[in-house]
Amino acid sequence: MADWQEITGGITAPRGYQAAGITAGLKPSGLPDLALIFSEVEAIAAGVFTTSQVKAACVDYCRQRLQAKQSARAILCNAGQANAATGNQGWFDALESAMAIAQALNISSESVLLASTGVIGQRIKMDALRSGIPKVVAALSETGSDAAAGAIITTDLVTKSIALETTIGDRPVRIGGIAKGSGMIHPNMATMLAFVTCDAVVSPHLWQQMLARAADRSFNSITVDGDTSTNDSLIALANGQSRTPAIIEWGAESEKLEAMLTAVCQHLAKAIARDGEGATCLIEVEVTGAHDELSARQIAKTIAGSSLVKSAIFGRDPNWGRIAAAAGRAGVPFEQENLQIKLGDFLMLENGQPLTFDRAAASAYLKKASVGAYLQQDTVLISVNVGNGYGVGKAWGCDLSYDYVKINAEYTT
């Protein structure tokens, strides 16, 4: 059993955090579009960002900030314009945004991190942002997580939020998170944003390492459409307000904290995959028997990202041959006579040999997932074994429906 429990509160569940989300007029829809996360004290900061060579100004800004100083107090996120591929003016807009929110909060601009999401090639609507900053600061609240989660989404159908609590040094420690993402989602910082808050005391070096590993086992293990965004950002703050003993080296307490951080990231990652544009179900692929965890994850990600596998799931077609083909092209060596494939409880291939199974029942299993409760009974499980190794890895994706094309064919028109 997990050594933590789920609690309410999202990113404001940990001590010492406030959040807000408002409508500043950045989105044409008139929906909330400006979010702020604020720590009452300076917090250790870590980040993982897109690997794309085309990066948004906010990504370059955050990387520079975190290289200079591994701490922050505020994260400002605008939705509506990605501020990516916007040249020098986009960079100046990012700097102005950081300065403006810093002045409104009466903190140093070096303690501000930024995120943007929206249409690539469009600058932030700075007039709207300038007028919105005093409003979002005034709206800061210890119960503002839901408002912030609602202000960062674009094509998402639902907000994504989670908070967990454990005990370290006989005191409660909490981690909360919110995320957005629905399309342009693929491993390599699977457009996606995630913000995590924590009230533990942890060294900057450990916190960055924990976050990088958690990202590999969560956001870097999801795929919706094979496209990596220009804006992908995962930012995590740890402000020490739990007053627990400082975690400065590897041990039982650091392992517990990292496990809970990974659980938060995996919940948010699965929520993003489930909310894939046009999706009707979540796909979870578990690969066992590989040489190591990295190899297992690579096979799992290839299967979860296969357009043929995703289309078959949408068509409720238990076509295990597509799963086998995807596993075989993952770039990980294994002997095909060791290959085993299961869809839910249906064993379809054993020791590389096809088996007779109830196709109608397997199809019904896929249909049931498409109408199941959100992140509970809406998951299609694909289990693949490739040998006798100790490597185990998971990846998450979603089915590929007609609506995905409809949504993205007219994205800017």
Side-chain angles (χ1 to χ4, degrees), residues 283-284 309 313 316-320 323 341-349 357 359 361-363 365-366 380-384:
I283 300 173
E284 179 175 297
V309 171
I313 299 299
R316 321 311 172 201
D317 179 11
N319 188 346
W320 61 263
I323 299 171
I341 296 175
K342 290 178 65 179
L343 180 65
D345 293 329
F346 298 92
L347 183 61
M348 300 174 165
L349 187 74
F357 64 94
R359 297 189 65 86
S363 180
Y365 165 72
L366 298 176
V380 171
L381 299 175
I382 296 175
S383 304
V384 176

PDB file of all heavy atoms in Angstrom, residues 283-284 309 313 316-320 323 341-349 357 359 361-363 365-366 380-384:
ATOM      1  N   ILE A 283      -5.337   4.514 -22.119  1.00  0.00           N
ATOM      2  CA  ILE A 283      -4.631   3.264 -22.391  1.00  0.00           C
ATOM      3  C   ILE A 283      -3.414   3.206 -21.477  1.00  0.00           C
ATOM      4  O   ILE A 283      -2.599   4.138 -21.461  1.00  0.00           O
ATOM      5  CB  ILE A 283      -4.173   3.171 -23.862  1.00  0.00           C
ATOM      6  CG1 ILE A 283      -5.371   3.244 -24.809  1.00  0.00           C
ATOM      7  CG2 ILE A 283      -3.381   1.891 -24.101  1.00  0.00           C
ATOM      8  CD1 ILE A 283      -4.981   3.334 -26.285  1.00  0.00           C
ATOM      9  N   GLU A 284      -3.299   2.136 -20.707  1.00  0.00           N
ATOM     10  CA  GLU A 284      -2.132   1.921 -19.859  1.00  0.00           C
ATOM     11  C   GLU A 284      -1.400   0.686 -20.355  1.00  0.00           C
ATOM     12  O   GLU A 284      -1.983  -0.387 -20.445  1.00  0.00           O
ATOM     13  CB  GLU A 284      -2.522   1.744 -18.395  1.00  0.00           C
ATOM     14  CG  GLU A 284      -1.325   1.486 -17.483  1.00  0.00           C
ATOM     15  CD  GLU A 284      -1.699   1.434 -16.009  1.00  0.00           C
ATOM     16  OE1 GLU A 284      -2.163   2.474 -15.488  1.00  0.00           O
ATOM     17  OE2 GLU A 284      -1.556   0.366 -15.386  1.00  0.00           O
ATOM     18  N   VAL A 309      -2.441   0.991 -33.013  1.00  0.00           N
ATOM     19  CA  VAL A 309      -2.970   0.470 -31.744  1.00  0.00           C
ATOM     20  C   VAL A 309      -4.080   1.380 -31.235  1.00  0.00           C
ATOM     21  O   VAL A 309      -5.160   0.908 -30.840  1.00  0.00           O
ATOM     22  CB  VAL A 309      -1.846   0.350 -30.697  1.00  0.00           C
ATOM     23  CG1 VAL A 309      -2.433   0.011 -29.318  1.00  0.00           C
ATOM     24  CG2 VAL A 309      -0.832  -0.707 -31.110  1.00  0.00           C
ATOM     25  N   ILE A 313      -8.092   0.422 -30.628  1.00  0.00           N
ATOM     26  CA  ILE A 313      -8.785   0.578 -29.349  1.00  0.00           C
ATOM     27  C   ILE A 313     -10.052   1.399 -29.539  1.00  0.00           C
ATOM     28  O   ILE A 313     -11.118   1.074 -29.000  1.00  0.00           O
ATOM     29  CB  ILE A 313      -7.865   1.233 -28.309  1.00  0.00           C
ATOM     30  CG1 ILE A 313      -6.628   0.378 -28.049  1.00  0.00           C
ATOM     31  CG2 ILE A 313      -8.623   1.483 -27.003  1.00  0.00           C
ATOM     32  CD1 ILE A 313      -6.899  -0.997 -27.508  1.00  0.00           C
ATOM     33  N   ARG A 316     -12.731  -0.596 -30.916  1.00  0.00           N
ATOM     34  CA  ARG A 316     -13.069  -1.741 -30.047  1.00  0.00           C
ATOM     35  C   ARG A 316     -12.675  -3.061 -30.720  1.00  0.00           C
ATOM     36  O   ARG A 316     -13.361  -4.067 -30.606  1.00  0.00           O
ATOM     37  CB  ARG A 316     -14.551  -1.746 -29.662  1.00  0.00           C
ATOM     38  CG  ARG A 316     -15.152  -0.384 -29.358  1.00  0.00           C
ATOM     39  CD  ARG A 316     -14.362   0.469 -28.404  1.00  0.00           C
ATOM     40  NE  ARG A 316     -14.925   1.820 -28.324  1.00  0.00           N
ATOM     41  CZ  ARG A 316     -14.254   2.890 -27.903  1.00  0.00           C
ATOM     42  NH1 ARG A 316     -12.984   2.775 -27.541  1.00  0.00           N
ATOM     43  NH2 ARG A 316     -14.825   4.066 -27.859  1.00  0.00           N
ATOM     44  N   ASP A 317     -11.531  -3.013 -31.409  1.00  0.00           N
ATOM     45  CA  ASP A 317     -11.020  -4.169 -32.143  1.00  0.00           C
ATOM     46  C   ASP A 317      -9.818  -4.754 -31.386  1.00  0.00           C
ATOM     47  O   ASP A 317      -8.765  -4.120 -31.322  1.00  0.00           O
ATOM     48  CB  ASP A 317     -10.605  -3.730 -33.552  1.00  0.00           C
ATOM     49  CG  ASP A 317     -10.030  -4.871 -34.379  1.00  0.00           C
ATOM     50  OD1 ASP A 317     -10.144  -6.038 -33.946  1.00  0.00           O
ATOM     51  OD2 ASP A 317      -9.460  -4.593 -35.451  1.00  0.00           O
ATOM     52  N   PRO A 318      -9.917  -5.948 -30.821  1.00  0.00           N
ATOM     53  CA  PRO A 318      -8.809  -6.543 -30.057  1.00  0.00           C
ATOM     54  C   PRO A 318      -7.723  -7.093 -30.978  1.00  0.00           C
ATOM     55  O   PRO A 318      -7.400  -8.289 -30.961  1.00  0.00           O
ATOM     56  CB  PRO A 318      -9.504  -7.646 -29.258  1.00  0.00           C
ATOM     57  CG  PRO A 318     -10.650  -8.077 -30.122  1.00  0.00           C
ATOM     58  CD  PRO A 318     -11.125  -6.817 -30.800  1.00  0.00           C
ATOM     59  N   ASN A 319      -7.149  -6.230 -31.772  1.00  0.00           N
ATOM     60  CA  ASN A 319      -6.162  -6.602 -32.780  1.00  0.00           C
ATOM     61  C   ASN A 319      -4.772  -6.614 -32.152  1.00  0.00           C
ATOM     62  O   ASN A 319      -4.014  -5.648 -32.255  1.00  0.00           O
ATOM     63  CB  ASN A 319      -6.231  -5.614 -33.954  1.00  0.00           C
ATOM     64  CG  ASN A 319      -5.380  -6.043 -35.128  1.00  0.00           C
ATOM     65  OD1 ASN A 319      -4.538  -6.926 -35.017  1.00  0.00           O
ATOM     66  ND2 ASN A 319      -5.588  -5.393 -36.270  1.00  0.00           N
ATOM     67  N   TRP A 320      -4.422  -7.717 -31.501  1.00  0.00           N
ATOM     68  CA  TRP A 320      -3.166  -7.781 -30.759  1.00  0.00           C
ATOM     69  C   TRP A 320      -1.944  -7.751 -31.686  1.00  0.00           C
ATOM     70  O   TRP A 320      -0.833  -7.439 -31.241  1.00  0.00           O
ATOM     71  CB  TRP A 320      -3.125  -9.038 -29.897  1.00  0.00           C
ATOM     72  CG  TRP A 320      -3.204 -10.339 -30.657  1.00  0.00           C
ATOM     73  CD1 TRP A 320      -4.318 -11.088 -30.883  1.00  0.00           C
ATOM     74  CD2 TRP A 320      -2.120 -11.029 -31.284  1.00  0.00           C
ATOM     75  NE1 TRP A 320      -4.011 -12.205 -31.627  1.00  0.00           N
ATOM     76  CE2 TRP A 320      -2.657 -12.202 -31.879  1.00  0.00           C
ATOM     77  CE3 TRP A 320      -0.758 -10.792 -31.420  1.00  0.00           C
ATOM     78  CZ2 TRP A 320      -1.870 -13.099 -32.593  1.00  0.00           C
ATOM     79  CZ3 TRP A 320       0.026 -11.693 -32.124  1.00  0.00           C
ATOM     80  CH2 TRP A 320      -0.530 -12.842 -32.701  1.00  0.00           C
ATOM     81  N   ILE A 323      -0.187  -4.547 -31.492  1.00  0.00           N
ATOM     82  CA  ILE A 323       0.606  -4.401 -30.267  1.00  0.00           C
ATOM     83  C   ILE A 323       1.956  -5.082 -30.448  1.00  0.00           C
ATOM     84  O   ILE A 323       3.010  -4.527 -30.102  1.00  0.00           O
ATOM     85  CB  ILE A 323      -0.153  -4.999 -29.068  1.00  0.00           C
ATOM     86  CG1 ILE A 323      -1.488  -4.274 -28.860  1.00  0.00           C
ATOM     87  CG2 ILE A 323       0.704  -4.946 -27.804  1.00  0.00           C
ATOM     88  CD1 ILE A 323      -2.404  -4.930 -27.840  1.00  0.00           C
ATOM     89  N   ILE A 341       1.333 -11.257 -24.749  1.00  0.00           N
ATOM     90  CA  ILE A 341       0.464 -10.080 -24.834  1.00  0.00           C
ATOM     91  C   ILE A 341      -0.881 -10.383 -24.194  1.00  0.00           C
ATOM     92  O   ILE A 341      -1.505 -11.413 -24.481  1.00  0.00           O
ATOM     93  CB  ILE A 341       0.252  -9.650 -26.299  1.00  0.00           C
ATOM     94  CG1 ILE A 341       1.576  -9.194 -26.919  1.00  0.00           C
ATOM     95  CG2 ILE A 341      -0.789  -8.524 -26.384  1.00  0.00           C
ATOM     96  CD1 ILE A 341       1.483  -8.858 -28.391  1.00  0.00           C
ATOM     97  N   LYS A 342      -1.303  -9.477 -23.307  1.00  0.00           N
ATOM     98  CA  LYS A 342      -2.633  -9.560 -22.695  1.00  0.00           C
ATOM     99  C   LYS A 342      -3.359  -8.238 -22.900  1.00  0.00           C
ATOM    100  O   LYS A 342      -2.755  -7.169 -22.817  1.00  0.00           O
ATOM    101  CB  LYS A 342      -2.533  -9.853 -21.193  1.00  0.00           C
ATOM    102  CG  LYS A 342      -2.046 -11.241 -20.846  1.00  0.00           C
ATOM    103  CD  LYS A 342      -1.934 -11.427 -19.331  1.00  0.00           C
ATOM    104  CE  LYS A 342      -3.299 -11.341 -18.659  1.00  0.00           C
ATOM    105  NZ  LYS A 342      -3.193 -11.552 -17.194  1.00  0.00           N
ATOM    106  N   LEU A 343      -4.639  -8.321 -23.161  1.00  0.00           N
ATOM    107  CA  LEU A 343      -5.527  -7.161 -23.224  1.00  0.00           C
ATOM    108  C   LEU A 343      -6.516  -7.329 -22.088  1.00  0.00           C
ATOM    109  O   LEU A 343      -7.394  -8.199 -22.157  1.00  0.00           O
ATOM    110  CB  LEU A 343      -6.236  -7.091 -24.575  1.00  0.00           C
ATOM    111  CG  LEU A 343      -7.203  -5.921 -24.781  1.00  0.00           C
ATOM    112  CD1 LEU A 343      -6.455  -4.599 -24.780  1.00  0.00           C
ATOM    113  CD2 LEU A 343      -7.977  -6.088 -26.087  1.00  0.00           C
ATOM    114  N   GLY A 344      -6.367  -6.529 -21.030  1.00  0.00           N
ATOM    115  CA  GLY A 344      -7.166  -6.785 -19.831  1.00  0.00           C
ATOM    116  C   GLY A 344      -6.820  -8.148 -19.294  1.00  0.00           C
ATOM    117  O   GLY A 344      -5.652  -8.479 -19.065  1.00  0.00           O
ATOM    118  N   ASP A 345      -7.825  -8.999 -19.119  1.00  0.00           N
ATOM    119  CA  ASP A 345      -7.606 -10.371 -18.644  1.00  0.00           C
ATOM    120  C   ASP A 345      -7.489 -11.370 -19.785  1.00  0.00           C
ATOM    121  O   ASP A 345      -7.365 -12.581 -19.542  1.00  0.00           O
ATOM    122  CB  ASP A 345      -8.759 -10.795 -17.720  1.00  0.00           C
ATOM    123  CG  ASP A 345      -8.783 -10.001 -16.421  1.00  0.00           C
ATOM    124  OD1 ASP A 345      -7.692  -9.601 -15.965  1.00  0.00           O
ATOM    125  OD2 ASP A 345      -9.877  -9.772 -15.878  1.00  0.00           O
ATOM    126  N   PHE A 346      -7.512 -10.897 -21.010  1.00  0.00           N
ATOM    127  CA  PHE A 346      -7.501 -11.789 -22.171  1.00  0.00           C
ATOM    128  C   PHE A 346      -6.064 -12.050 -22.625  1.00  0.00           C
ATOM    129  O   PHE A 346      -5.377 -11.134 -23.096  1.00  0.00           O
ATOM    130  CB  PHE A 346      -8.328 -11.195 -23.316  1.00  0.00           C
ATOM    131  CG  PHE A 346      -9.771 -11.002 -22.978  1.00  0.00           C
ATOM    132  CD1 PHE A 346     -10.228  -9.799 -22.453  1.00  0.00           C
ATOM    133  CD2 PHE A 346     -10.677 -12.044 -23.166  1.00  0.00           C
ATOM    134  CE1 PHE A 346     -11.560  -9.627 -22.126  1.00  0.00           C
ATOM    135  CE2 PHE A 346     -12.020 -11.875 -22.849  1.00  0.00           C
ATOM    136  CZ  PHE A 346     -12.462 -10.664 -22.319  1.00  0.00           C
ATOM    137  N   LEU A 347      -5.612 -13.282 -22.482  1.00  0.00           N
ATOM    138  CA  LEU A 347      -4.294 -13.680 -22.937  1.00  0.00           C
ATOM    139  C   LEU A 347      -4.375 -14.022 -24.418  1.00  0.00           C
ATOM    140  O   LEU A 347      -5.119 -14.918 -24.827  1.00  0.00           O
ATOM    141  CB  LEU A 347      -3.797 -14.890 -22.134  1.00  0.00           C
ATOM    142  CG  LEU A 347      -2.383 -15.389 -22.456  1.00  0.00           C
ATOM    143  CD1 LEU A 347      -1.352 -14.298 -22.172  1.00  0.00           C
ATOM    144  CD2 LEU A 347      -2.079 -16.647 -21.642  1.00  0.00           C
ATOM    145  N   MET A 348      -3.606 -13.309 -25.241  1.00  0.00           N
ATOM    146  CA  MET A 348      -3.742 -13.421 -26.690  1.00  0.00           C
ATOM    147  C   MET A 348      -2.516 -14.053 -27.354  1.00  0.00           C
ATOM    148  O   MET A 348      -2.625 -14.636 -28.422  1.00  0.00           O
ATOM    149  CB  MET A 348      -3.997 -12.036 -27.288  1.00  0.00           C
ATOM    150  CG  MET A 348      -5.261 -11.388 -26.752  1.00  0.00           C
ATOM    151  SD  MET A 348      -5.445  -9.688 -27.326  1.00  0.00           S
ATOM    152  CE  MET A 348      -7.177  -9.409 -26.918  1.00  0.00           C
ATOM    153  N   LEU A 349      -1.359 -13.895 -26.734  1.00  0.00           N
ATOM    154  CA  LEU A 349      -0.117 -14.427 -27.272  1.00  0.00           C
ATOM    155  C   LEU A 349       0.727 -14.930 -26.112  1.00  0.00           C
ATOM    156  O   LEU A 349       0.891 -14.217 -25.107  1.00  0.00           O
ATOM    157  CB  LEU A 349       0.641 -13.331 -28.038  1.00  0.00           C
ATOM    158  CG  LEU A 349       1.883 -13.760 -28.799  1.00  0.00           C
ATOM    159  CD1 LEU A 349       1.499 -14.528 -30.062  1.00  0.00           C
ATOM    160  CD2 LEU A 349       2.745 -12.552 -29.167  1.00  0.00           C
ATOM    161  N   PHE A 357      -8.962 -16.844 -28.149  1.00  0.00           N
ATOM    162  CA  PHE A 357      -9.603 -16.088 -27.070  1.00  0.00           C
ATOM    163  C   PHE A 357     -10.977 -15.618 -27.550  1.00  0.00           C
ATOM    164  O   PHE A 357     -11.283 -15.660 -28.747  1.00  0.00           O
ATOM    165  CB  PHE A 357      -8.745 -14.893 -26.645  1.00  0.00           C
ATOM    166  CG  PHE A 357      -8.549 -13.853 -27.713  1.00  0.00           C
ATOM    167  CD1 PHE A 357      -9.383 -12.744 -27.782  1.00  0.00           C
ATOM    168  CD2 PHE A 357      -7.530 -13.975 -28.658  1.00  0.00           C
ATOM    169  CE1 PHE A 357      -9.216 -11.775 -28.761  1.00  0.00           C
ATOM    170  CE2 PHE A 357      -7.351 -13.013 -29.644  1.00  0.00           C
ATOM    171  CZ  PHE A 357      -8.190 -11.918 -29.697  1.00  0.00           C
ATOM    172  N   ARG A 359     -13.138 -13.200 -28.800  1.00  0.00           N
ATOM    173  CA  ARG A 359     -12.994 -11.878 -29.419  1.00  0.00           C
ATOM    174  C   ARG A 359     -14.161 -10.959 -29.059  1.00  0.00           C
ATOM    175  O   ARG A 359     -13.974  -9.760 -28.854  1.00  0.00           O
ATOM    176  CB  ARG A 359     -12.891 -12.008 -30.934  1.00  0.00           C
ATOM    177  CG  ARG A 359     -11.662 -12.776 -31.409  1.00  0.00           C
ATOM    178  CD  ARG A 359     -11.513 -12.685 -32.924  1.00  0.00           C
ATOM    179  NE  ARG A 359     -11.252 -11.319 -33.347  1.00  0.00           N
ATOM    180  CZ  ARG A 359     -10.030 -10.772 -33.392  1.00  0.00           C
ATOM    181  NH1 ARG A 359      -8.983 -11.475 -33.018  1.00  0.00           N
ATOM    182  NH2 ARG A 359      -9.880  -9.523 -33.801  1.00  0.00           N
ATOM    183  N   ALA A 361     -15.946 -10.967 -26.315  1.00  0.00           N
ATOM    184  CA  ALA A 361     -15.777 -10.515 -24.935  1.00  0.00           C
ATOM    185  C   ALA A 361     -14.662  -9.487 -24.824  1.00  0.00           C
ATOM    186  O   ALA A 361     -14.761  -8.515 -24.055  1.00  0.00           O
ATOM    187  CB  ALA A 361     -15.491 -11.713 -24.028  1.00  0.00           C
ATOM    188  N   ALA A 362     -13.584  -9.689 -25.596  1.00  0.00           N
ATOM    189  CA  ALA A 362     -12.485  -8.724 -25.584  1.00  0.00           C
ATOM    190  C   ALA A 362     -12.934  -7.380 -26.154  1.00  0.00           C
ATOM    191  O   ALA A 362     -12.563  -6.317 -25.645  1.00  0.00           O
ATOM    192  CB  ALA A 362     -11.305  -9.266 -26.372  1.00  0.00           C
ATOM    193  N   SER A 363     -13.750  -7.423 -27.193  1.00  0.00           N
ATOM    194  CA  SER A 363     -14.291  -6.189 -27.758  1.00  0.00           C
ATOM    195  C   SER A 363     -15.209  -5.502 -26.759  1.00  0.00           C
ATOM    196  O   SER A 363     -15.194  -4.273 -26.619  1.00  0.00           O
ATOM    197  CB  SER A 363     -15.034  -6.482 -29.055  1.00  0.00           C
ATOM    198  OG  SER A 363     -15.566  -5.298 -29.618  1.00  0.00           O
ATOM    199  N   TYR A 365     -14.921  -5.630 -23.584  1.00  0.00           N
ATOM    200  CA  TYR A 365     -14.048  -5.025 -22.578  1.00  0.00           C
ATOM    201  C   TYR A 365     -13.621  -3.623 -23.019  1.00  0.00           C
ATOM    202  O   TYR A 365     -13.619  -2.678 -22.214  1.00  0.00           O
ATOM    203  CB  TYR A 365     -12.814  -5.913 -22.377  1.00  0.00           C
ATOM    204  CG  TYR A 365     -11.673  -5.273 -21.648  1.00  0.00           C
ATOM    205  CD1 TYR A 365     -11.741  -5.021 -20.280  1.00  0.00           C
ATOM    206  CD2 TYR A 365     -10.500  -4.911 -22.326  1.00  0.00           C
ATOM    207  CE1 TYR A 365     -10.682  -4.423 -19.604  1.00  0.00           C
ATOM    208  CE2 TYR A 365      -9.449  -4.317 -21.666  1.00  0.00           C
ATOM    209  CZ  TYR A 365      -9.534  -4.076 -20.312  1.00  0.00           C
ATOM    210  OH  TYR A 365      -8.484  -3.490 -19.649  1.00  0.00           O
ATOM    211  N   LEU A 366     -13.288  -3.467 -24.303  1.00  0.00           N
ATOM    212  CA  LEU A 366     -12.897  -2.167 -24.818  1.00  0.00           C
ATOM    213  C   LEU A 366     -14.075  -1.188 -24.818  1.00  0.00           C
ATOM    214  O   LEU A 366     -13.910  -0.009 -24.508  1.00  0.00           O
ATOM    215  CB  LEU A 366     -12.342  -2.316 -26.237  1.00  0.00           C
ATOM    216  CG  LEU A 366     -11.079  -3.171 -26.374  1.00  0.00           C
ATOM    217  CD1 LEU A 366     -10.695  -3.321 -27.845  1.00  0.00           C
ATOM    218  CD2 LEU A 366      -9.922  -2.559 -25.593  1.00  0.00           C
ATOM    219  N   VAL A 380      -8.009   1.003 -20.482  1.00  0.00           N
ATOM    220  CA  VAL A 380      -7.696  -0.230 -21.198  1.00  0.00           C
ATOM    221  C   VAL A 380      -6.282  -0.648 -20.807  1.00  0.00           C
ATOM    222  O   VAL A 380      -5.331   0.115 -20.983  1.00  0.00           O
ATOM    223  CB  VAL A 380      -7.790  -0.029 -22.718  1.00  0.00           C
ATOM    224  CG1 VAL A 380      -7.246  -1.255 -23.463  1.00  0.00           C
ATOM    225  CG2 VAL A 380      -9.228   0.257 -23.137  1.00  0.00           C
ATOM    226  N   LEU A 381      -6.143  -1.837 -20.264  1.00  0.00           N
ATOM    227  CA  LEU A 381      -4.850  -2.332 -19.807  1.00  0.00           C
ATOM    228  C   LEU A 381      -4.238  -3.254 -20.860  1.00  0.00           C
ATOM    229  O   LEU A 381      -4.851  -4.236 -21.276  1.00  0.00           O
ATOM    230  CB  LEU A 381      -5.000  -3.083 -18.487  1.00  0.00           C
ATOM    231  CG  LEU A 381      -5.549  -2.275 -17.305  1.00  0.00           C
ATOM    232  CD1 LEU A 381      -5.751  -3.180 -16.090  1.00  0.00           C
ATOM    233  CD2 LEU A 381      -4.620  -1.123 -16.951  1.00  0.00           C
ATOM    234  N   ILE A 382      -3.030  -2.925 -21.274  1.00  0.00           N
ATOM    235  CA  ILE A 382      -2.267  -3.774 -22.183  1.00  0.00           C
ATOM    236  C   ILE A 382      -1.017  -4.234 -21.439  1.00  0.00           C
ATOM    237  O   ILE A 382      -0.234  -3.403 -20.973  1.00  0.00           O
ATOM    238  CB  ILE A 382      -1.865  -3.015 -23.461  1.00  0.00           C
ATOM    239  CG1 ILE A 382      -3.112  -2.607 -24.259  1.00  0.00           C
ATOM    240  CG2 ILE A 382      -0.946  -3.868 -24.334  1.00  0.00           C
ATOM    241  CD1 ILE A 382      -2.812  -1.739 -25.468  1.00  0.00           C
ATOM    242  N   SER A 383      -0.858  -5.547 -21.305  1.00  0.00           N
ATOM    243  CA  SER A 383       0.290  -6.106 -20.593  1.00  0.00           C
ATOM    244  C   SER A 383       1.148  -6.881 -21.580  1.00  0.00           C
ATOM    245  O   SER A 383       0.647  -7.749 -22.302  1.00  0.00           O
ATOM    246  CB  SER A 383      -0.170  -7.029 -19.457  1.00  0.00           C
ATOM    247  OG  SER A 383      -1.043  -6.354 -18.569  1.00  0.00           O
ATOM    248  N   VAL A 384       2.433  -6.572 -21.590  1.00  0.00           N
ATOM    249  CA  VAL A 384       3.367  -7.209 -22.522  1.00  0.00           C
ATOM    250  C   VAL A 384       4.583  -7.698 -21.747  1.00  0.00           C
ATOM    251  O   VAL A 384       5.172  -6.943 -20.965  1.00  0.00           O
ATOM    252  CB  VAL A 384       3.815  -6.221 -23.619  1.00  0.00           C
ATOM    253  CG1 VAL A 384       4.858  -6.857 -24.524  1.00  0.00           C
ATOM    254  CG2 VAL A 384       2.610  -5.756 -24.440  1.00  0.00           C
TER     255      VAL A 384
END
